[in-house]
mmCIF file of all heavy atoms in Angstrom:
data_model
loop_
_atom_site.group_PDB
_atom_site.id
_atom_site.type_symbol
_atom_site.label_atom_id
_atom_site.label_comp_id
_atom_site.label_asym_id
_atom_site.label_seq_id
_atom_site.Cartn_x
_atom_site.Cartn_y
_atom_site.Cartn_z
ATOM 1 N N ARG A 262 7.858 8.680 26.959
ATOM 2 C CA ARG A 262 7.158 10.040 26.966
ATOM 3 C C ARG A 262 8.171 11.125 26.646
ATOM 4 O O ARG A 262 7.836 12.385 26.833
ATOM 5 C CB ARG A 262 6.465 10.367 28.283
ATOM 6 C CG ARG A 262 5.645 9.309 28.956
ATOM 7 C CD ARG A 262 4.725 8.541 27.960
ATOM 8 N NE ARG A 262 3.518 9.266 27.743
ATOM 9 C CZ ARG A 262 2.601 8.818 26.820
ATOM 10 N NH1 ARG A 262 2.848 7.700 26.254
ATOM 11 N NH2 ARG A 262 1.586 9.490 26.524
ATOM 12 N N ARG A 273 -3.627 17.962 24.101
ATOM 13 C CA ARG A 273 -2.420 17.641 24.897
ATOM 14 C C ARG A 273 -1.362 17.011 23.995
ATOM 15 O O ARG A 273 -1.800 16.517 22.874
ATOM 16 C CB ARG A 273 -2.763 16.765 26.071
ATOM 17 C CG ARG A 273 -3.369 15.428 25.698
ATOM 18 C CD ARG A 273 -3.537 14.548 27.008
ATOM 19 N NE ARG A 273 -4.831 14.616 27.529
ATOM 20 C CZ ARG A 273 -5.094 14.850 28.707
ATOM 21 N NH1 ARG A 273 -4.183 15.216 29.680
ATOM 22 N NH2 ARG A 273 -6.389 14.861 29.168
ATOM 23 N N TYR A 298 8.972 19.878 29.387
ATOM 24 C CA TYR A 298 8.447 18.534 29.788
ATOM 25 C C TYR A 298 9.561 17.507 29.521
ATOM 26 O O TYR A 298 9.758 16.601 30.332
ATOM 27 C CB TYR A 298 7.197 18.219 28.975
ATOM 28 C CG TYR A 298 5.919 18.914 29.431
ATOM 29 C CD1 TYR A 298 4.760 18.854 28.695
ATOM 30 C CD2 TYR A 298 5.986 19.708 30.561
ATOM 31 C CE1 TYR A 298 3.649 19.520 29.075
ATOM 32 C CE2 TYR A 298 4.815 20.277 31.026
ATOM 33 C CZ TYR A 298 3.598 20.189 30.257
ATOM 34 O OH TYR A 298 2.522 20.846 30.668
ATOM 35 N N SER A 308 16.400 10.306 38.248
ATOM 36 C CA SER A 308 16.209 10.240 39.717
ATOM 37 C C SER A 308 15.682 8.927 40.134
ATOM 38 O O SER A 308 15.644 8.511 41.354
ATOM 39 C CB SER A 308 15.249 11.337 40.208
ATOM 40 O OG SER A 308 13.987 11.126 39.725
ATOM 41 N N GLU A 309 15.094 8.119 39.269
ATOM 42 C CA GLU A 309 14.289 6.957 39.624
ATOM 43 C C GLU A 309 15.137 5.836 40.219
ATOM 44 O O GLU A 309 14.853 5.337 41.293
ATOM 45 C CB GLU A 309 13.609 6.356 38.397
ATOM 46 C CG GLU A 309 12.623 5.227 38.836
ATOM 47 C CD GLU A 309 11.848 4.603 37.690
ATOM 48 O OE1 GLU A 309 12.232 4.910 36.491
ATOM 49 O OE2 GLU A 309 10.940 3.837 37.930
ATOM 50 N N ARG A 342 16.047 8.947 44.225
ATOM 51 C CA ARG A 342 15.320 8.001 45.121
ATOM 52 C C ARG A 342 16.230 6.880 45.702
ATOM 53 O O ARG A 342 15.963 6.367 46.688
ATOM 54 C CB ARG A 342 14.243 7.325 44.254
ATOM 55 C CG ARG A 342 13.170 8.315 43.833
ATOM 56 C CD ARG A 342 12.175 7.632 42.918
ATOM 57 N NE ARG A 342 11.406 6.622 43.762
ATOM 58 C CZ ARG A 342 11.501 5.303 43.597
ATOM 59 N NH1 ARG A 342 12.332 4.760 42.797
ATOM 60 N NH2 ARG A 342 10.773 4.530 44.420
ATOM 61 N N ILE A 383 7.541 -7.461 32.458
ATOM 62 C CA ILE A 383 7.634 -6.469 33.601
ATOM 63 C C ILE A 383 6.710 -6.959 34.715
ATOM 64 O O ILE A 383 5.504 -7.297 34.362
ATOM 65 C CB ILE A 383 7.112 -5.096 33.174
ATOM 66 C CG1 ILE A 383 8.026 -4.638 32.007
ATOM 67 C CG2 ILE A 383 7.233 -4.167 34.394
ATOM 68 C CD1 ILE A 383 9.378 -4.210 32.351
ATOM 69 N N ARG A 386 3.827 -3.295 39.641
ATOM 70 C CA ARG A 386 3.327 -2.062 38.971
ATOM 71 C C ARG A 386 3.872 -0.801 39.745
ATOM 72 O O ARG A 386 4.483 -0.903 40.686
ATOM 73 C CB ARG A 386 1.810 -2.075 39.063
ATOM 74 C CG ARG A 386 1.190 -1.989 40.346
ATOM 75 C CD ARG A 386 -0.308 -2.124 40.148
ATOM 76 N NE ARG A 386 -1.026 -1.983 41.493
ATOM 77 C CZ ARG A 386 -2.219 -2.497 41.725
ATOM 78 N NH1 ARG A 386 -2.807 -3.188 40.814
ATOM 79 N NH2 ARG A 386 -2.742 -2.263 42.869
ATOM 80 N N GLY A 387 3.547 0.349 39.025
ATOM 81 C CA GLY A 387 4.031 1.685 39.526
ATOM 82 C C GLY A 387 5.589 1.630 39.701
ATOM 83 O O GLY A 387 6.263 0.972 38.904
ATOM 84 N N GLN A 450 1.295 -1.847 14.928
ATOM 85 C CA GLN A 450 0.813 -1.450 16.295
ATOM 86 C C GLN A 450 -0.485 -2.131 16.572
ATOM 87 O O GLN A 450 -1.349 -2.295 15.726
ATOM 88 C CB GLN A 450 0.592 0.006 16.250
ATOM 89 C CG GLN A 450 0.534 0.745 17.490
ATOM 90 C CD GLN A 450 0.124 2.144 17.317
ATOM 91 O OE1 GLN A 450 0.555 2.810 16.410
ATOM 92 N NE2 GLN A 450 -0.820 2.549 18.173
ATOM 93 N N LYS B 1003 -9.980 -1.146 16.915
ATOM 94 C CA LYS B 1003 -9.278 -2.358 17.260
ATOM 95 C C LYS B 1003 -9.213 -2.597 18.697
ATOM 96 O O LYS B 1003 -8.634 -1.964 19.542
ATOM 97 C CB LYS B 1003 -7.755 -2.054 16.837
ATOM 98 C CG LYS B 1003 -6.944 -3.178 16.483
ATOM 99 C CD LYS B 1003 -5.640 -2.761 15.857
ATOM 100 C CE LYS B 1003 -4.874 -3.988 15.513
ATOM 101 N NZ LYS B 1003 -3.566 -3.726 14.912
ATOM 102 N N SER B 1144 -0.212 4.021 44.001
ATOM 103 C CA SER B 1144 -0.157 2.599 44.158
ATOM 104 C C SER B 1144 -0.934 1.850 43.051
ATOM 105 O O SER B 1144 -0.711 0.671 42.878
ATOM 106 C CB SER B 1144 -0.637 2.243 45.484
ATOM 107 O OG SER B 1144 -1.960 2.396 45.671
ATOM 108 N N SER B 1146 -0.919 3.061 39.811
ATOM 109 C CA SER B 1146 -0.231 3.215 38.524
ATOM 110 C C SER B 1146 0.338 1.994 37.982
ATOM 111 O O SER B 1146 0.896 1.210 38.787
ATOM 112 C CB SER B 1146 0.877 4.336 38.751
ATOM 113 O OG SER B 1146 1.772 4.306 37.692
ATOM 114 N N ARG B 1154 4.514 7.003 36.516
ATOM 115 C CA ARG B 1154 5.327 6.011 37.408
ATOM 116 C C ARG B 1154 6.205 6.916 38.406
ATOM 117 O O ARG B 1154 6.113 6.804 39.606
ATOM 118 C CB ARG B 1154 6.093 5.102 36.618
ATOM 119 C CG ARG B 1154 6.858 4.062 37.484
ATOM 120 C CD ARG B 1154 7.711 3.115 36.619
ATOM 121 N NE ARG B 1154 8.842 3.737 36.017
ATOM 122 C CZ ARG B 1154 9.260 3.621 34.711
ATOM 123 N NH1 ARG B 1154 8.472 2.913 33.846
ATOM 124 N NH2 ARG B 1154 10.376 4.211 34.281
ATOM 125 N N ASP B 1158 5.348 9.374 42.072
ATOM 126 C CA ASP B 1158 6.213 9.054 43.273
ATOM 127 C C ASP B 1158 6.805 10.351 43.855
ATOM 128 O O ASP B 1158 6.795 10.457 45.077
ATOM 129 C CB ASP B 1158 7.311 8.062 42.812
ATOM 130 C CG ASP B 1158 7.981 7.494 43.989
ATOM 131 O OD1 ASP B 1158 7.346 6.780 44.829
ATOM 132 O OD2 ASP B 1158 9.210 7.790 44.207
ATOM 133 N N HIS B 1159 7.246 11.221 43.095
ATOM 134 C CA HIS B 1159 7.780 12.487 43.607
ATOM 135 C C HIS B 1159 6.711 13.264 44.261
ATOM 136 O O HIS B 1159 6.878 13.806 45.346
ATOM 137 C CB HIS B 1159 8.528 13.200 42.540
ATOM 138 C CG HIS B 1159 9.925 12.697 42.159
ATOM 139 N ND1 HIS B 1159 10.868 12.617 43.140
ATOM 140 C CD2 HIS B 1159 10.433 12.279 41.014
ATOM 141 C CE1 HIS B 1159 11.978 12.055 42.592
ATOM 142 N NE2 HIS B 1159 11.720 11.798 41.304
ATOM 143 N N ARG B 1188 0.054 15.477 34.002
ATOM 144 C CA ARG B 1188 -1.380 15.641 33.357
ATOM 145 C C ARG B 1188 -1.130 15.476 31.793
ATOM 146 O O ARG B 1188 -1.807 14.800 31.096
ATOM 147 C CB ARG B 1188 -1.995 16.840 33.773
ATOM 148 C CG ARG B 1188 -3.401 17.072 33.169
ATOM 149 C CD ARG B 1188 -3.870 18.490 33.506
ATOM 150 N NE ARG B 1188 -3.088 19.442 32.882
ATOM 151 C CZ ARG B 1188 -2.930 20.721 33.253
ATOM 152 N NH1 ARG B 1188 -3.535 21.131 34.327
ATOM 153 N NH2 ARG B 1188 -2.190 21.594 32.581
ATOM 154 N N ASP B 1189 -0.155 16.263 31.220
ATOM 155 C CA ASP B 1189 0.029 16.430 29.776
ATOM 156 C C ASP B 1189 0.777 15.335 29.164
ATOM 157 O O ASP B 1189 0.640 15.112 27.964
ATOM 158 C CB ASP B 1189 0.652 17.693 29.478
ATOM 159 C CG ASP B 1189 -0.241 18.872 29.665
ATOM 160 O OD1 ASP B 1189 -1.417 18.727 30.043
ATOM 161 O OD2 ASP B 1189 0.275 20.090 29.568
ATOM 162 N N THR B 1190 1.570 14.578 29.882
ATOM 163 C CA THR B 1190 2.420 13.634 29.145
ATOM 164 C C THR B 1190 2.115 12.172 29.637
ATOM 165 O O THR B 1190 2.797 11.274 29.069
ATOM 166 C CB THR B 1190 3.922 13.905 29.397
ATOM 167 O OG1 THR B 1190 4.194 13.762 30.836
ATOM 168 C CG2 THR B 1190 4.296 15.306 29.023
#
Side-chain angles (χ1 to χ4, degrees):
Chain A
R262 315 312 279 176
R273 62 175 101 234
Y298 284 172
S308 67
E309 184 181 15
R342 297 178 65 251
I383 304 288
R386 65 186 183 203
Q450 198 187 319
Chain B
K1003 206 168 181 181
S1144 67
S1146 162
R1154 180 180 76 226
D1158 190 61
H1159 282 300
R1188 184 187 65 206
D1189 288 352
T1190 63

